[in-house]
Amino acid sequence: MTRSELPLHRRTITVTAYAEGGDEISVEAELSDVRPWAEPSAGVVHRMVLAVRVRLADMVIVHADADMRTFPHAECPLITPVFDGLTGLSVAAGYNRAIQERFRGVSGCSHLHELARVLGPAVVQAAISANAGLRYAGEQSQGPRSTAGVLNSCHIWAPDGVGLRKLDAGWVPGTGPRPVPPLRTFEQPGPGSARTSSPPSSAD
């Protein structure tokens, strides 16, 4: 079987986050569907953006905006106000369940729902990066343990996993090399241990 050099379809999702002062971040997710083989005027099928502003102290969305820039039907943008319903949701707890209930299926748009789903973990990572940057700059960070949204997300952040045990042993997210060294490094600190400050890392 041979594969054509020209793709049939390309879906791209990008997420970009920005600091908004010291206590909030803005995160923008963009989805595009492209048919590389089509004429330029018909090549872009979807281009949609979902943006949120998040308060770092409690990881609550304080503003949300959905924008359809390229879409197949004239009526598609009529659903965008529904995604204002992201406002007030906590990204740290119950987020996936909430967006399923509010935006899945005929209650929303499948592509904007996909962006809402992607935004959850992306916001968590952006918040971790924001806190790491604050600590590296010697400023007060939000949520000093940096675990909001990552607890129970993988084997590292299980209740008895190495992530929490490293924190208890003295690891400070945003310091030390990447990847973060094994737990024994923190349990038996010594010369050249991982507690030496270096450019920001994260609790991912």
Side-chain angles (χ1 to χ4, degrees), residues 113-138:
H113 174 260
E114 176 69 6
L115 288 181
R117 192 182 65 80
V118 166
L119 271 175
V123 165
V124 170
Q125 290 298 315
I128 293 171
S129 293
N131 284 324
L134 288 172
R135 285 190 297 273
Y136 186 66

Side-chain angles (χ1 to χ4, degrees), residues 4 22 33 75 91 101 104 129 164 175:
S4 169
D33 281 319
E75 297 86 355
V91 182
E101 293 171 351
R104 189 178 183 183
S129 293
L164 291 177
T175 64

Side-chain angles (χ1 to χ4, degrees), residues 34-51:
V34 177
R35 294 170 179 164
W37 51 268
E39 294 294 326
S41 61
V44 180
V45 183
H46 302 109
R47 184 175 172 228
M48 303 181 182
V49 175
L50 188 59

Side-chain angles (χ1 to χ4, degrees), residues 145 147 151 155-173 180-189 195 203:
R145 284 179 67 84
T147 57
L151 289 178
H155 69 108
I156 297 294
W157 292 106
D160 60 349
V162 296
L164 291 177
R165 292 164 66 190
K166 287 179 183 180
L167 287 171
D168 290 338
W171 170 50
V172 178
V180 178
L183 176 61
R184 64 178 179 273
T185 306
F186 300 92
E187 294 177 329
Q188 300 176 350
R195 298 193 194 197

